[in-house]
Amino acid sequence: MGSQLLEQMQERIMQSRVAKLKQMYPDMDIAQLDRNEQRIMPKSCGGEGKRFTLKGKLVYLEKVQNKLFCTLADRTGLVGVEMEDMLTNIEIRQGQLLCIIARLKCAPDGSLFCEARGITMLKDDDPKLREIRELPEKKPPRQQGRRACRNYWEKGVAVSWARLKMTYKLGLLIPALYLVLEPQLLKRLTLGSLGPTLGMALFVLVFMTGRQVINQYGNKAQGSTG
């Protein structure tokens, strides 16, 4: 029951989050970023750190420890995308067309890259995406202009696909369920209305401490690993 409840809550949170972000932050082209455009710059760089949407083709993927980093081509250049904070279970493959809700982050070497906060798969047969679909898949250079193409400050392993999943501290889920259900079923504690409130707080903590990790990965010429 706990696993199904987590999946349902995760799906509702993700849908409302993506809808709200798309409404608040319309498409902005990261390729046109300059020093006069500070809204989407990281706060550490003097910006507001606002989110934006980015459409493109995954031309390169690499696994860095247990995180997935992708290089997205959008006809104007390449941009590195960290696939870590999307709150969803998903399989990502090289060559896919994606719309990513992202925010800019600053790499240790000072270059910029994106952190994915939501993702939508685009249809390969959409005629409007023909130019993006025909972009070549290749290993990017170390850096292109002011856009970070890959996490080259850490050692990565090239992959062609990866399956991502959310992991949670399930040890907190049992007491959370107990506290939520206790007034109606168990009636063993004397917390009163505080019990369900504390239980819901623990539910929120479970989601806040969730991490997106690579469950499986591999290359076209190889089987699955992980």
Side-chain angles (χ1 to χ4, degrees):
M1 183 178 77
S3 178
Q4 292 180 350
L5 182 60
L6 273 176
E7 291 179 0
Q8 292 173 1
M9 292 181 67
Q10 173 182 309
E11 182 65 25
R12 287 197 298 268
I13 291 173
M14 185 61 188
Q15 289 178 356
S16 61
R17 184 181 187 185
V18 170
K20 183 178 179 181
L21 289 176
K22 286 186 176 182
Q23 181 180 6
M24 293 177 62
Y25 306 115
D27 289 358
M28 287 186 275
D29 192 348
I30 189 175
Q32 298 175 3
L33 179 67
D34 57 38
R35 289 299 177 186
N36 296 323
E37 175 56 88
Q38 289 291 316
R39 288 185 301 163
I40 63 175
M41 290 288 285
K43 293 183 178 180
S44 61
C45 299
E48 299 179 23
K50 287 191 174 183
R51 295 169 176 85
F52 57 94
T53 57
L54 183 65
K55 295 180 181 179
K57 178 180 181 179
L58 289 182
V59 296
Y60 185 74
L61 286 76
E62 61 182 356
K63 174 182 176 292
V64 179
Q65 297 179 5
N66 203 24
K67 298 180 182 179
L68 182 67
F69 289 84
C70 305
T71 298
L72 194 75
D74 63 356
R75 294 179 300 179
T76 62
L78 303 174
V79 60
V81 181
E82 178 185 11
M83 300 288 189
E84 183 186 9
D85 198 16
M86 299 182 294
L87 295 178
T88 186
N89 299 331
I90 195 170
E91 182 175 309
I92 297 177
R93 292 185 175 273
Q94 187 170 328
Q96 283 180 326
L97 307 183
L98 303 178
C99 177
I100 296 174
I101 297 175
R103 70 172 183 176
L104 283 180
K105 293 181 71 175
C106 190
D109 65 353
S111 56
L112 297 175
F113 69 102
C114 294
E115 176 192 52
R117 307 306 297 267
I119 186 171
T120 301
M121 301 293 180
L122 302 177
K123 295 182 179 180
D124 290 342
D125 56 355
D126 189 339
K128 297 180 181 179
L129 303 175
R130 181 180 59 83
E131 293 184 23
I132 295 178
R133 185 173 58 250
E134 294 176 353
L135 292 172
E137 299 175 20
K138 61 180 181 179
K139 183 176 181 179
R142 289 176 61 87
Q143 191 174 13
Q144 177 175 322
R146 292 179 54 215
R147 308 174 93 190
C149 295
R150 56 192 295 255
N151 248 31
Y152 55 82
W153 62 87
E154 293 186 42
K155 184 177 181 181
V157 177
V159 299
S160 62
W161 67 272
R163 187 171 293 119
L164 307 178
K165 74 170 186 177
M166 293 297 296
T167 60
Y168 302 95
K169 294 181 179 180
L170 297 181
L172 297 175
L173 185 61
I174 296 176
L177 287 172
Y178 181 87
L179 290 170
V180 170
L181 299 176
E182 180 265 335
Q184 292 78 20
L185 301 180
L186 306 176
K187 298 182 180 180
R188 292 182 179 276
L189 297 179
T190 58
L191 296 177
S193 60
L194 179 62
T197 302
L198 182 58
M200 292 307 299
L202 285 178
F203 269 124
V204 173
L205 184 61
V206 168
F207 282 100
M208 290 179 61
T209 56
R211 303 292 293 175
Q212 197 151 32
V213 300
I214 297 176
N215 185 27
Q216 289 182 304
Y217 65 93
N219 290 305
K220 296 177 181 179
Q222 301 176 357
S224 62
T225 309

